Amino acid sequence: MFDDHSPIYRQIAEQIKADVLRGVLVAEEQVMSTNQYAAHYRINPATAAKAFQHLVDEGVIYKRRGVGMFVSADAPTRLRDEKRERFFTDVLEPLVAQARTLGIPAADVVTHIQQLFENDDLGEGR
């Protein structure tokens, strides 16, 4: 699950965010405790706690005293909105710049994207 590209606590936080976006974790659902998470993935509990605190600070999860951590009610919508905004900045803008460099007309790019969306092999929501 973990690689050497970024700190483990960030990878944990990103995995939990991805689970929220995919619907694996839904709004108001309880998430594993930091100790359970640490035991399951064989990591230092402090690392798991740092990841969870990062998610609390971002408003993705919240603590119910004496009960545990839960997915925030607005987390799925907020995460999706943030990802959509980054998609345009991080993916679409460089794609358009590359197409211009290669002399690909905008209409060709749009047509190709539409074909990809219509392709059954890609599946919806991926």
Side-chain angles (χ1 to χ4, degrees):
M1 173 178 179
F2 305 114
D3 60 36
D4 291 332
H5 299 298
S6 65
I8 291 174
Y9 83 92
R10 285 187 190 250
Q11 293 178 57
I12 293 167
E14 290 303 315
Q15 179 61 49
I16 291 172
K17 288 179 187 180
D19 287 347
V20 171
L21 282 169
R22 286 193 321 267
V24 174
L25 292 171
V26 298
E28 301 301 332
E29 180 176 356
Q30 187 169 11
V31 298
M32 272 193 263
S33 72
T34 55
N35 288 334
Q36 290 170 322
Y37 206 91
H40 185 265
Y41 290 104
R42 297 181 184 176
I43 60 170
N44 187 317
T47 301
K50 187 172 182 177
F52 279 54
Q53 186 57 54
H54 184 75
L55 293 167
V56 167
D57 292 345
E58 289 186 349
V60 175
I61 61 175
Y62 67 94
K63 299 176 190 179
R64 283 190 196 161
R65 190 172 182 175
V67 181
M69 301 279 210
F70 293 80
V71 177
S72 299
D74 66 341
T77 301
R78 213 163 18 85
L79 288 172
R80 190 167 290 107
D81 290 347
E82 289 172 12
K83 285 275 192 186
R84 284 180 179 161
E85 187 61 37
R86 282 199 311 262
F87 170 80
F88 289 110
T89 303
D90 297 348
V91 177
L92 197 55
E93 289 176 13
L95 178 141
V96 169
Q98 184 70 15
R100 283 183 179 141
T101 299
L102 297 173
I104 301 171
D108 290 357
V109 173
V110 170
T111 298
H112 193 77
I113 290 171
Q114 286 173 331
Q115 288 171 348
L116 290 172
F117 268 98
E118 293 167 0
N119 185 344
D120 290 339
D121 294 335
L122 292 179
E124 182 127 4
R126 286 191 196 173

